[in-house]
Amino acid sequence: MPMIFGMSEVYFALAVGILAILYSGALVFSILRSPKGNEKMQGIAKAIEEGANAYLMRQYKTLFPIVVLLAAAIYAFVSLPTAIAFIVGVVSSALAGYIGMQTAVRGNVRVAEAANSGLKAALSMAFRGGAVTGMALVGLGLIGISALYIYFNGQLAPLVGFGFGASLISLFARVGGGIYTKAADVGADLVGKVEKGIPEDDPRNPAVIADNVGDNVGDCAGMAADVFESFVVTVIAAMLLGTLASEVMMPLGIAALGVLASIIGSLFVRLWTRNIMFSFYTGLFVASAAMLVGTLLYFGGLTNYFYVVAIGAIVTFLLFLITEYYTGTQFRPVRKIAEAAKTGAGTNLITGLAVGMESTLLPALLIVAAIIVSFKLGGIYGVALAAAAMLSLSGMVIAVDSYGPITDNAGGIAEMSGLPEKVRKVTDELDAVGNTTKATTKGFAIGGAALGALALFAAFATESKLASVDLLSTPVVVGLFIGALLPFVFSSLLMLAVGRAAFEIVEEVRRQFREIKGLMSGKAKADYAKCVDISTATALRELALPGVIAVLVPLIVGYLFGTAALAGLLAGAIASGFLMALFMCTAGAAWDNAKKYIESGNLGGKGGDTHKAAVVGDTVGDPLKDTAGPALNALIKVLNTVSLVFAGALMAVSLGLI
């Protein structure tokens, strides 16, 4: 295979990674130079920033002993290089989330200020903020993989530790951030919207700052860590499988081309028409086309592997379109849920559940078709390469995703600081699209997780010397049932955690409305810090158990029943987790946008019984779409990476009880 533009793939990837970081830095510089509004706007933004930073720092302190313990275990049972790579993965993933959140909490107030100049200026500012996260994320991924590969003199085994470290932080970021954001959101909605009848971002609501903080720790830091680990573990898994096809460096080269293409695509996101989604699709299309052109030059023609890469790009596009159909306010599913709210919360909930279940069909068929065609073109390595190609566009996809929470916060700042109606109209338009982009990028993340997990599963089978998995074998069947069960138990823990935290927030918000005289009339100020502290403490208290389950269960199953049983567990978790994540994320987003559809003046508008029923549906959907659903991506990757890291040790000490 020819080198990329005269350079070996590893040095090309390192160079592109550095370029992505520099581009991200240039975007940060341009954002920080922009005006950040009046003193009141800056004060609100500062409160959001302080709350987000306090949560993230406390989260990292909470995770520190867990990381040290796991690093020691990897050193003792695997190797020192893998332990070093694990720590690098932890730091890189945490840094990706930190960069994303820091940009979001500084960009939100500047977007609100830019909205004074109209939609074009505000969109440009919001997307640049999102692009900082996207480009920093993929840049760190490329630098981490290529630098470690060089440092370990071309050894692939330690890179698995890098992927495991990224997966671990992703899991905790998704779990903790998801619990935080939805506890605050549900608490603010139930008391503010339903009981008091005040707007979502009304400064009288004591939970409003916690709600805005949650957007950053959940949707920015959490999503960034999530897709960072999907990106790196998929590339690493494909490289491991490349040893069978004597094409170890190809996935890294494709990933670098995708990152370079994402930078190019981001330059084409601008307000071409009043349709903001068209602007994002333009950038994504240009990025995909640029990657395919670069890949064509790399392969020197239309080879089977070129077609595999094209499949990855096509799957990305189609997942966006399918998810938008099920979650966009202009399409039948969301309007059907909104119509159902006319007869109450019960019918709204039933219809939303049905739409969520239906929404799994097309993505599942799409992934199945991609697997079949990729396998025919390049075997299991072809499937892994398609997954790597898909996730190589992560920079562009995360730029679109992170745009969402930035605009959401901008709208909150505009309302809380009493900016003119024309500003709020612009931020509302941006936020409405942000709800859709957050949903579509979750579809991408879930699809990428499924393909990436399949590649990891194949790498585990290779490492464990499993030529096949016998479904008639008792250990495999036992593992299969345990694996299929895990996403349900995991989701239950997270949803119960959100419920407990939301209960505390609701009680606190009610107390403040009851005890702070003049709060409802706007003559007194709410104690925002109390709700921020409740969300932070609860999220950190609840994140440990789900993380421990994800790490320990595969090790216990592998130790007690052997690697065949563990293979069954991984297969069950991938299938069950993939479909559960699709169902929960799409249903939750559809409930949310059904509420937004009513709030925009349809079916009686805000304040009526239909609206109140839709708010209940949105409240149920919140922990599905922003906590449990996205966290399943990280769960299935952690299960696979921890199994891959400890595969050799498990083979050596397995008890094989059945």
Side-chain angles (χ1 to χ4, degrees), residues 239-291:
M239 291 173 70
L240 288 169
L241 293 174
T243 57
L244 304 176
S246 301
E247 296 290 358
V248 173
M249 288 291 101
M250 191 189 298
L252 189 57
I254 297 300
L257 287 171
V259 171
L260 192 59
S262 293
I263 294 174
I264 296 169
S266 70
L267 302 175
F268 286 81
V269 176
R270 59 191 66 182
L271 197 65
W272 301 99
T273 69
R274 288 294 296 186
N275 187 332
I276 298 173
M277 279 302 292
F278 177 79
S279 303
F280 294 142
Y281 279 126
T282 299
L284 189 59
F285 177 80
V286 171
S288 301
M291 183 182 73

Side-chain angles (χ1 to χ4, degrees), residues 43-44 47 203-206 209 512 516-520 522-529:
I44 295 166
R204 292 172 291 178
N205 194 327
I209 294 294
Q512 290 196 33
I516 300 178
K517 294 181 180 180
L519 178 57
M520 191 61 190
K523 295 178 181 178
K525 185 179 178 182
D527 182 3
Y528 302 126

Side-chain angles (χ1 to χ4, degrees), residues 170-248:
S170 165
L171 179 68
F172 286 117
R174 268 305 193 191
V175 169
I179 293 170
Y180 185 113
T181 184
K182 289 306 105 179
D185 194 5
V186 170
D189 280 359
L190 285 179
V191 182
K193 286 185 179 180
V194 178
E195 295 182 10
K196 297 297 182 181
I198 59 178
E200 181 173 357
D201 293 310
D202 196 298
R204 292 172 291 178
N205 194 327
V208 69
I209 294 294
D211 187 10
N212 281 280
V213 170
D215 290 332
N216 295 293
V217 301
D219 289 328
C220 286
M223 187 64 164
D226 184 359
V227 175
F228 173 82
E229 64 96 9
S230 289
F231 175 68
V232 299
V233 300
T234 303
V235 172
I236 291 168
M239 291 173 70
L240 288 169
L241 293 174
T243 57
L244 304 176
S246 301
E247 296 290 358
V248 173

